[in-house]
Amino acid sequence: MARVAIVTGGTRGIGRAICEALTADGLTVVANFAGNEEAARLFSEETGCRAYKWDVGDHEACLDGCERVTREIGPVEIVVNNAGITRDATLHKMTFDDWNEVMRINLGGCFNMAKACFPGMRERRWGRIVNIGSINGQAGQYGQVNYAAAKSGIHGFTKALAQEGARVGVTVNAIAPGYIDTDMVAAVPETVLEKIVAGIPVGRLGQAHEIARGVSFLVSEDAGFITGSTLSINGGQHMY
């Protein structure tokens, strides 16, 4: 029986590319989504993956959603925490709601999904969790104190949870993408985007499938000796 993987925020952009890559690897892939019903419908039609709707920032919704996936498809052995939002503003213009919503979804979603699935992984003594961080969680970014804090928190969350899972066959890793050619980046003003690309040593934006291949490796059987690590896929823009 194929292992079951949940990819949060999985119906578009990087999430969709991850779903497609893991499906090609022979996994049974479920995409979580929050609101865009039409995108989810098209995703399922085009990929054959089932899509389940719940808010990853809602703790009870994650517990219920993962229980439903387990009941209807099988035990969840792989979780990719990809769901995330932005609410950009400089601190003096940022509202508490801007701060709280980004923390609730981007960082809280990682906790909620791990809380729902980690116990079963421990019991089965096998599991893979991959958290999608960001270059801006490593280097910071003007106008993104909420997003940078949440993504930086993901990197710390990854290292701590990895220590809990290491002896029971559960690996926990992160990927820190740089600027990837997605709808989120496409919304950046062209003049700003030109400056961003000029600062990337390889001279281009990344592609979603390049992030997906990193996830594909980290969730594979061959990656069992890698845990607590962050894989930076950013075209050389930030090195440390």
Side-chain angles (χ1 to χ4, degrees):
M1 179 179 174
R3 297 192 186 279
V4 176
I6 294 179
V7 180
T8 67
T11 60
R12 295 185 295 166
I14 291 173
R16 175 168 177 152
I18 293 169
C19 288
E20 291 172 342
L22 299 188
T23 298
D25 291 340
L27 301 175
T28 298
V29 181
V30 173
N32 150 271
F33 72 103
N36 193 324
E37 302 271 2
E38 179 63 15
R41 184 186 66 78
L42 290 173
F43 164 84
S44 291
E45 288 180 359
E46 293 168 359
T47 66
C49 298
R50 294 176 66 173
Y52 284 70
K53 182 179 180 179
W54 73 80
D55 175 5
V56 297
D58 182 326
H59 185 69
E60 293 299 324
C62 286
L63 297 178
D64 292 344
C66 291
E67 191 279 329
R68 181 184 168 200
V69 171
T70 297
R71 184 176 68 252
E72 296 180 0
I73 299 178
V76 179
E77 295 183 285
I78 296 166
V79 173
V80 182
N81 286 310
N82 168 73
I85 63 169
T86 57
R87 296 288 186 272
D88 295 350
T90 54
L91 182 64
H92 73 284
K93 293 182 180 179
M94 184 176 291
T95 67
F96 176 74
D97 286 344
D98 292 335
W99 168 270
N100 199 48
E101 192 67 358
V102 169
M103 297 298 287
R104 185 183 74 85
I105 293 174
N106 295 18
L107 183 56
C110 290
F111 172 83
N112 294 336
M113 290 298 297
K115 190 69 174 176
C117 299
F118 190 74
M121 295 177 182
R122 282 176 52 93
E123 291 175 8
R124 293 184 296 272
R125 301 187 70 83
W126 198 95
R128 299 283 189 267
I129 297 175
V130 178
N131 303 312
I132 305 301
S134 171
I135 187 175
N136 292 344
Q138 297 172 313
Q141 178 60 45
Y142 183 90
Q144 284 196 324
V145 294
N146 50 3
Y147 185 83
K151 291 298 188 177
S152 181
I154 285 173
H155 297 308
F157 175 90
T158 296
K159 294 177 186 298
L161 188 58
Q163 295 178 52
E164 296 184 29
R167 292 191 179 275
V168 290
V170 181
T171 68
V172 187
N173 292 290
I175 289 180
Y179 285 87
I180 308 302
D181 191 9
T182 62
D183 291 344
M184 184 182 292
V185 172
V188 174
E190 186 174 347
T191 55
V192 176
L193 192 57
E194 288 174 357
K195 292 179 181 178
I196 290 172
V197 172
I200 302 173
V202 302
R204 64 174 175 84
L205 296 174
Q207 298 297 312
H209 71 84
E210 294 175 302
I211 307 302
R213 294 318 300 168
V215 174
S216 178
F217 171 64
L218 289 174
V219 305
S220 71
E221 299 285 348
D222 292 335
F225 200 57
I226 302 172
T227 196
S229 294
T230 295
L231 174 60
S232 295
I233 305 178
N234 60 33
Q237 187 176 6
H238 180 68
M239 306 180 193
Y240 81 107

